[in-house]
Amino acid sequence: MSAVEVGAIAAGVGMLAGVAWLPPKATRVIGSIFGGALVFGVARGGLGVTGGVVAGALLAVLLARFGPNTVLRRVTFLLPSLLLLVFVTTLLMYHAPGSPFAGEKVATPQVEAALRAHFGIPKSAVEFFWIYVRRLVVDGSLGPSVKVQGRMVETLLRPALPVSIALGLLSLVLAAAFGLALGIRAGLKPNSAADYVATGLSAIGLSLPSFVIGAILIVIFSLKLGWLPVAGWGDLRHLVLPAVTLALPYAAYIARLARGGTIEVMSQDFIRTARAKGVPEAAVVLRHALKGAILPVVSYLGPAAAGIMTGSFVVETLFGIPGMGQWFVRGAINRDYSMVLGTALVYASLVTAFNLVVDLAYAWLDPRVRSDA
Amino acid sequence: MTRAPESEALLRVVELTTEFLGDDATVRAVDHVSFDVKKGEMLGIVGESGSGKSATSLSIMRLLPPQGRVTHGSVELAGANLLALPEARMRELRGRRVAMIFQDPMTALNPYLRVGEQLIEGAVLHLGMSRADAQTRAAALLDRVRIPDARARLRSYPHELSGGMRQRVMIAMALLCDPELLIADEPTTALDVTVQAQILELLSELRRERGLSILLITHDLGVVATTCDRVLVMYAGRVVELAPAAELFARPLHPYTAALMQSLPRLDAKPGAPLESIAGMPPRLDQGPFRECSFAPRCRFVHDACRVADPPLTEAGPERLRRCVLPLEKLS
Ligand SMILES: Nc1ncnc2c1ncn2[C@@H]1O[C@H](COP(=O)(O)OP(=O)(O)OP(=O)(O)O)[C@@H](O)[C@H]1O
Ligand code: SF4
Ligand SMILES: [Mg+2]
C-alpha cells in the first residue's frame, strides 16, 4: 500500500473518531446538513435537481427541529463512513489479484488504456476513488458496469433492489414476530414447559447455518410436501422459504433477548405497583411490561438487519432469487469495480436507513432516551 | 389481647404466617402476626430490615412473589377474609378499597408511561370513568397533594419529576379511587429529611380529611412517633410489642423497643456523638421454631428465664402487648 493510501485511511478513521468526540450541539447542526445532502443525492434521481434541493432542505429543517440526538449523531457519522467504505473497498479491489480487463483477449496495452479511460478505471486506486466520488456527487451516478456493457450500475440494480428489500423485510418481520412471541411467552413463565421449548428451539436455530436450514426446508416443503416452489422468482410463494431460512437464526436470537427482557421487566417494582392498583394481568403485560421488554430486541434490530442483508447473498444464490446479492457476487467474481462499490453503497445505505428507523423507534419507546440523550 | 370493638376494626389480621420457599430452606418471614387497624387510624409497623414488614403488607395485598405463601391465619377487611377471595374479586379490591404505596418512587412508577396515564388507570378500571373524567379527577388530586401545575404534570414522565414529587404522584394515584385503607411501605425512606417531613404531614392531613385508615411501615421510630396512633414493633417476623404511640415512647416495655429508641438520634445529643445501633444481627428465620427468646442473643437483660422457651405475647397494661418475660420493674 502506498503512503497516500495509508494516510487517507488514517484520516478517515481519525475523522470518525473526531465525530465521536463532537458535542451534541455540533452533531445536531452537522447531522442536519448531512441528512439534507443525502436526501438531495437520493431524491435528485427521481425529482430532478430542484426537487432534490427542496426535499433535502425540508429534511434538514425537520432533523434540526425534531430529530433526537441519537439520530443526528448517526447521520453525522454517515457521510464520512460512506466515504471510508468506498475508499477501503476500492483499495481491497485494486490490491486483489486481477482487474476488470485481465480476461479480455483484446487487451493490448493501448486497448487497455483506452478501455480504462472509457470506464474511468485508472491504474491508481486513489485516482479511481476521486473519479468515482466525483461522478457520484456531480452526476449522481454509480458508474458504468464493465461487464454488462453500455449499462450503468444503477439501471442494473434498480430492478434487483425491491426484490432484496422485500426478502430482507419479510425475513426481519418473521424473525421479530416469531422471536418476540416465543421469547415473551417464555419470559412470562420462566422454567415452564413453554420456556424449555422456546429455549430449545432457540438453541437449534442459533447453531444451524442458513444453508443447512435452507436445504432442510426445501426437502420438506418443496420436495416432500410440494407446497412451495423449490427456487426461482415470480410471486410471493417464492419468497417464503428463503425468508424463513434467512429469519431463523435471528428469530432464535430475538427470542433469547425477548425472554431476558421480559424476565427483567416483570421483576421491576413498577409491575408490582400496577398489580397493586388492581390492573388485570393481561394489561400488566401489554401496557406496563411490553415496552421495556422489547427494548433489547429493538436495539438488536439494527445489527440483525445488517446480518440479514449479508446473509441474503448466500440465500439468494441458494434459491436463485434475482436480488442484489447476485449482482454483488457476479461483480466480485468479474472484478466489476463499479458494480461491487454500487452494491456495497446501496446495502450500506439500506442498513443505515433502517438503523435510523430503529433509533427513532427506541426513542419513541423509552422517554428517558428522548429527553436526556 | 386488646381488641377494638368489631365495628371499629377495618382491617383485622389474625395469626398471619408467611413463608418463602428457598432452594434448601423455608424462611418464615411472618410468624403468627395479629393486629387490627381501626377506621381512621394510623397504625405504624416498625422493625429492622428483614423483620417481615414488607412480607406482612404484601401478604395482605396478596402480592407476594411466587416463592412466598401465606401458610396460616386470616386477613379480614370489614369482615371479609381476603385470603379466601378468588383472584378476580381480590383484583377488584386492590386499588379500589385497599391501596398501596412503596419505598422507592423512582422504581415504583413506570418509566415508559406518562404520569397521567398511570394515574387514571385505576379510575377507569374501578370506577368506570371516561378517560377525560379520570384526568380531571387525577389533576384535582395532584393539586391536592400540592403538585404545582397539575394539569401539565399529567403529561410528564416520572424521570422528569423530583423524588418528592414522584412520591406525591404515588400518593395521588393510591387515593384516586377513595380507598378505605392505605398501606404505605416505607414511603419516605428514599427521600431526604425535609421532603420526608412534608410527605408524612401530607399523609396525616389526608387521613383526617378522608377518614382514611393507614398502615405505615417504616424502620424509623422517629417517623412513627410523630404520626401514628398506635405502633406495632416487629422482630424476626413476630410482634414483640404493641402500644399507643405516646405510651410506647414514654415507656417501652420490650428491650428491643428500648434499644431501637436508644439508636434514635436525640435532640440533646452532643453534635458529632456517634449514633448507637443495636449490636449483633437478627436471628436466622430458616431454622424452625425458636426454642428461646428470639432477641436473647442481643438483649441487655437476658437471663435464665429467657432461655427456657420462646416467650408468648402477653398483655402488659391497657392496650399494651409485649413478648418478654422480664419483670416490668426491672426494665429501666
Ligand atoms: N422473595 C423472597 N424470597 C426469599 N426470602 C425472602 C423474599 N422476600 C423476603 N424474604 C425474606 O423474608 C424476610 C422478611 O423480609 P421483608 O422484606 O418482609 O423485610 P422488611 O421488614 O420489609 O425489611 P426492609 O426494611 O429491608 O424492607 C427476610 O428475612 C427476607 O430475607
Ligand atoms: S425475654 Fe429475655 S431475652 Fe427476650 S427480650 Fe425479654 S429480657 Fe430480653
Ligand atoms: Mg421492606
Side-chain angles (χ1 to χ4, degrees):
Chain A
M1 249 192 270
S2 75
V4 181
E5 294 167 1
V6 175
I9 291 183
V13 174
M15 196 148 64
L16 289 179
V19 171
W21 280 102
L22 285 177
K25 268 207 179 102
T27 50
R28 286 199 77 85
V29 176
I30 304 177
S32 304
I33 296 173
F34 280 11
L38 284 168
V39 165
F40 167 73
V42 176
R44 178 171 54 177
L47 305 174
V49 175
T50 328
V53 170
V54 171
L58 198 68
L59 187 95
V61 171
L62 282 179
L63 273 178
R65 183 82 181 74
F66 301 110
N69 282 336
T70 44
V71 167
L72 282 161
R73 181 166 292 269
R74 201 183 277 285
V75 177
T76 311
F77 267 110
L78 185 57
L79 217 53
S81 333
L82 287 181
L83 276 181
L84 194 64
L85 171 80
V86 173
F87 190 71
V88 171
T89 312
T90 304
L91 285 190
L92 285 174
M93 293 186 305
Y94 268 81
H95 287 281
S99 89
F101 312 104
E104 303 284 328
K105 290 182 205 105
V106 289
T108 64
Q110 293 85 341
V111 174
E112 186 181 327
L115 281 174
R116 280 187 183 277
H118 175 71
F119 287 107
I121 304 180
K123 289 217 158 189
S124 139
V126 178
E127 263 176 60
F128 172 81
F129 174 76
W130 285 122
I131 294 176
Y132 188 85
V133 170
R134 166 180 248 274
R135 186 167 50 215
L136 193 59
V137 175
V138 177
D139 309 332
S141 163
L142 295 171
S145 163
V146 178
K147 286 295 148 167
V148 188
Q149 298 200 353
R151 308 285 299 275
M152 301 304 267
V153 170
E154 58 268 26
T155 31
L156 293 172
L157 291 185
R158 199 162 286 144
L161 184 61
V163 174
S164 284
I165 290 182
L167 175 62
L169 277 185
L170 184 61
S171 308
L172 207 57
V173 167
L174 285 177
F178 284 105
L180 284 173
L182 220 56
I184 290 176
R185 253 189 77 96
L188 286 176
K189 286 217 161 72
N191 301 322
S192 66
D195 184 21
Y196 291 133
V197 169
T199 319
L201 281 180
S202 156
I204 296 172
L206 280 174
S207 51
L208 286 181
S210 58
F211 55 87
V212 176
I213 300 175
I216 295 175
L217 290 177
I218 291 180
V219 168
I220 298 177
F221 290 100
S222 307
L223 303 182
K224 289 268 181 246
L225 299 172
W227 291 353
L228 293 163
V230 176
W233 185 243
D235 56 44
L236 264 182
R237 293 189 325 139
H238 286 98
L239 217 50
V240 176
L241 282 186
V244 171
T245 305
L246 206 46
L248 255 164
Y250 297 93
Y253 194 69
I254 286 174
R256 223 178 242 199
L257 288 173
R259 175 183 185 269
T262 306
I263 292 179
E264 156 83 21
V265 169
M266 291 303 285
S267 71
Q268 299 279 324
D269 283 357
F270 62 79
I271 295 297
R272 193 182 52 190
T273 307
R275 290 186 176 134
K277 277 194 279 187
V279 176
E281 200 56 25
V284 168
V285 173
L286 291 177
R287 186 170 347 170
H288 288 271
L290 195 62
K291 276 187 176 181
I294 66 174
L295 278 179
V297 173
V298 171
S299 39
Y300 172 66
L301 285 182
I308 284 181
M309 285 293 177
T310 32
S312 66
F313 295 170
V314 178
V315 171
E316 283 180 11
T317 312
L318 188 67
F319 287 91
I321 294 173
M324 298 216 316
Q326 300 207 335
W327 283 116
F328 182 83
V329 173
R330 260 195 267 173
I333 292 171
N334 295 332
R335 302 282 180 273
D336 193 343
Y337 292 171
S338 300
M339 179 56 86
V340 172
L341 276 175
T343 40
L345 268 178
V346 173
Y347 274 125
S349 314
L350 284 180
V351 170
T352 313
F354 189 76
N355 270 306
L356 287 175
V357 175
V358 168
D359 280 351
L360 287 170
Y362 200 101
W364 177 71
L365 284 170
D366 193 342
R368 288 166 297 186
V369 172
R370 220 177 304 165
S371 54
D372 60 33
Chain B
M1 263 185 75
T2 325
R3 273 195 176 168
E6 291 291 329
S7 63
E8 277 189 53
L10 173 67
L11 180 76
R12 165 157 295 165
V13 175
V14 181
E15 295 190 348
L16 181 69
T17 302
T18 300
E19 296 182 335
F20 289 101
L21 304 172
D23 286 337
D24 36 39
T26 298
V27 173
R28 182 168 281 195
V30 180
D31 193 353
H32 291 81
V33 165
S34 303
F35 61 86
D36 294 338
V37 182
K38 297 173 200 158
K39 288 214 172 80
E41 183 187 35
M42 171 125 58
L43 176 75
I45 300 188
V46 284
E48 286 168 293
S49 188
S51 55
K53 307 181 298 291
S54 297
T56 302
S57 60
L58 293 176
S59 302
I60 295 170
M61 290 295 275
R62 287 185 33 192
L63 287 175
L64 287 168
Q67 322 83 282
R69 290 265 181 293
V70 174
T71 53
H72 179 80
S74 64
V75 174
E76 286 173 18
L77 184 76
N81 187 359
L82 300 188
L83 300 185
L85 286 183
E87 172 60 24
R89 295 270 294 109
M90 184 67 204
R91 204 172 54 224
E92 288 166 13
L93 207 135
R94 288 189 200 113
R96 174 71 189 85
R97 298 183 60 195
V98 189
M100 191 160 180
I101 58 180
F102 300 94
Q103 172 170 346
D104 189 341
M106 182 65 234
T107 57
L109 286 170
N110 191 330
Y112 305 115
L113 296 180
R114 290 181 202 279
V115 164
E117 201 60 37
Q118 306 185 51
L119 265 166
I120 65 169
E121 212 174 9
V124 173
L125 196 67
H126 296 302
L127 308 180
M129 289 184 130
S130 71
R131 289 177 56 90
D133 289 350
Q135 285 197 338
T136 307
R137 188 183 174 97
L141 212 47
L142 284 186
D143 204 44
R144 174 62 196 90
V145 299
R146 286 195 282 279
I147 287 184
D149 207 2
R151 265 281 165 192
R153 282 287 83 80
L154 290 178
R155 296 193 52 76
S156 301
Y157 285 97
H159 73 269
E160 294 164 348
L161 306 177
S162 69
M165 285 298 156
R166 285 194 284 252
Q167 197 59 294
R168 287 169 198 270
V169 169
M170 282 296 290
I171 292 173
M173 194 157 92
L175 296 185
L176 194 69
C177 299
D178 250 323
E180 295 148 66
L181 175 69
L182 176 68
I183 302 178
D185 190 351
E186 314 230 12
T188 60
T189 310
L191 307 174
D192 65 49
V193 186
T194 38
V195 182
Q196 270 188 25
Q198 291 165 3
I199 296 288
L200 289 172
E201 176 54 32
L202 177 65
L203 284 177
S204 300
E205 277 174 35
L206 289 167
R207 165 170 79 119
R208 260 176 271 130
E209 201 172 287
R210 312 186 157 220
L212 185 67
S213 305
I214 300 183
L215 185 60
L216 179 71
I217 294 174
T218 171
H219 56 240
D220 185 348
L221 263 183
V223 165
V224 202
T226 49
T227 43
C228 293
D229 303 308
R230 290 188 305 147
V231 180
L232 182 86
V233 183
M234 280 186 78
Y235 186 75
R238 281 111 46 87
V239 178
V240 294
E241 183 161 7
L242 175 66
E247 289 182 38
L248 187 84
F249 283 91
R251 187 162 173 247
L253 297 184
H254 192 286
Y256 176 65
T257 316
L260 274 183
M261 277 181 197
Q262 231 126 65
S263 66
L264 275 181
R266 294 162 55 129
L267 285 179
D268 56 357
K270 288 191 211 80
L275 281 180
E276 275 183 68
S277 66
I278 310 174
M281 294 280 288
R284 300 186 54 157
L285 302 175
D286 57 354
Q287 310 281 304
F290 291 102
R291 277 180 295 269
E292 56 170 19
C293 171
S294 55
F295 191 53
R298 302 167 77 186
C299 185
R300 290 206 302 151
F301 301 98
V302 63
H303 56 293
D304 289 347
C306 316
R307 309 277 192 198
V308 179
D310 184 22
L313 197 60
T314 50
E315 278 192 36
E319 284 213 77
R320 300 203 65 165
L321 292 175
R322 67 168 196 153
R323 189 188 292 278
C324 175
V325 293
L326 186 73
L328 285 178
E329 60 280 7
K330 293 208 176 155
L331 220 168
S332 59

